[in-house]
Amino acid sequence: MVTILDKKSKPTKVSLMARKVIDDDDDDDFLDEEEDDDDDGIPEIRSEIDSDETKPKTLTRKEAIDILQTTRDFSKLDFRKANLAKLDFSNCNFETSNLSYVNFKDSNLEGCNFTNASLWNANLEGANLTRANLEDADLDYTKLRGAILYRANVRRATLPTDLIPREEILRSINEGTKVNR
């Protein structure tokens, strides 16, 4: 948290999100201390970050396709509310990514790593999650109708058992059947 003081307003607390940045110079790119011009004894700090940059950037479908064509590594990325339906993400890494409200309808997610990922309220209807690693993932309120979870690892995952009976999820994992609800 950084407190920003402005001569015309009250102190404001701003959370700066960690970002992957390569910076080869020694100057401070985010905060500059200014001289104390108003003689109140409190040094002023101003932020060079626009208010839009303090919000986490949600990646788009086009950016996802670009990553698919290169590294297939989506770990620690934010795809909240992205429409990623009908894409082949087989064997991709989504470890610790935020995939809340993502539309993965009819996507191929076979062999994907979703360890510690948030799939809260995501749409996985008709998705192929065969051999996917969903260990410690948050699947609460996730739509799974028609999804295949054959041999998926759901150890310590938060499952949408309020929407789908646990037995139905386990049947899909063990037998490869589609989730009916």
Side-chain angles (χ1 to χ4, degrees):
M1 284 292 199
V2 174
T3 303
I4 298 174
L5 300 174
D6 187 348
K7 290 180 183 179
K8 298 177 185 175
S9 66
K10 297 178 183 177
T12 307
K13 292 204 185 259
V14 177
S15 174
L16 300 177
M17 302 300 292
R19 300 177 81 113
K20 293 180 182 176
V21 177
I22 299 172
D23 188 7
D24 56 0
D25 59 16
D26 292 334
D27 63 32
D28 187 357
D29 291 333
F30 294 107
L31 301 174
D32 287 332
E33 291 187 11
E34 294 180 345
E35 294 294 323
D36 185 18
D37 294 335
D38 58 3
D39 294 326
D40 63 0
I42 302 172
E44 294 181 41
I45 299 174
R46 68 178 162 85
S47 173
E48 293 180 1
I49 299 175
D50 294 332
S51 61
D52 290 342
E53 288 186 32
T54 60
K55 298 176 187 173
K57 182 181 184 302
T58 300
L59 299 171
T60 64
R61 181 180 178 95
K62 182 185 179 310
E63 291 169 320
I65 292 170
D66 290 343
I67 294 170
L68 271 172
Q69 294 172 348
T70 57
T71 67
R72 301 182 76 83
D73 184 10
F74 297 90
S75 60
K76 300 177 184 172
L77 295 178
D78 188 354
F79 277 100
R80 261 178 298 175
K81 299 181 182 179
N83 182 7
L84 304 176
K86 298 182 180 181
L87 291 175
D88 182 4
F89 288 100
S90 57
N91 300 308
C92 286
N93 183 17
F94 290 97
E95 187 173 358
T96 65
S97 292
N98 186 351
L99 303 164
S100 301
Y101 294 98
V102 167
N103 182 10
F104 275 126
K105 186 173 184 175
D106 299 323
S107 290
N108 184 8
L109 303 169
E110 184 174 351
C112 286
N113 180 13
F114 291 101
T115 304
N116 292 310
S118 175
L119 288 154
W120 191 82
N121 217 339
N123 183 358
L124 297 173
E125 293 176 332
N128 178 8
L129 290 153
T130 301
R131 294 185 320 278
N133 185 2
L134 296 159
E135 189 168 340
D136 294 314
D138 182 4
L139 294 158
D140 211 10
Y141 297 104
T142 300
K143 297 167 195 73
L144 290 171
R145 178 178 285 157
I148 300 171
L149 296 162
Y150 187 58
R151 294 189 177 176
N153 176 7
V154 294
R155 187 176 298 132
R156 294 185 307 272
T158 306
L159 299 172
T161 53
D162 290 347
L163 306 173
I164 304 163
R166 184 175 183 79
E167 296 77 32
E168 182 141 354
I169 294 170
L170 293 176
R171 183 173 41 253
S172 180
I173 292 169
N174 294 325
E175 300 172 11
T177 60
K178 292 183 178 181
V179 177
N180 290 323
R181 292 185 186 190

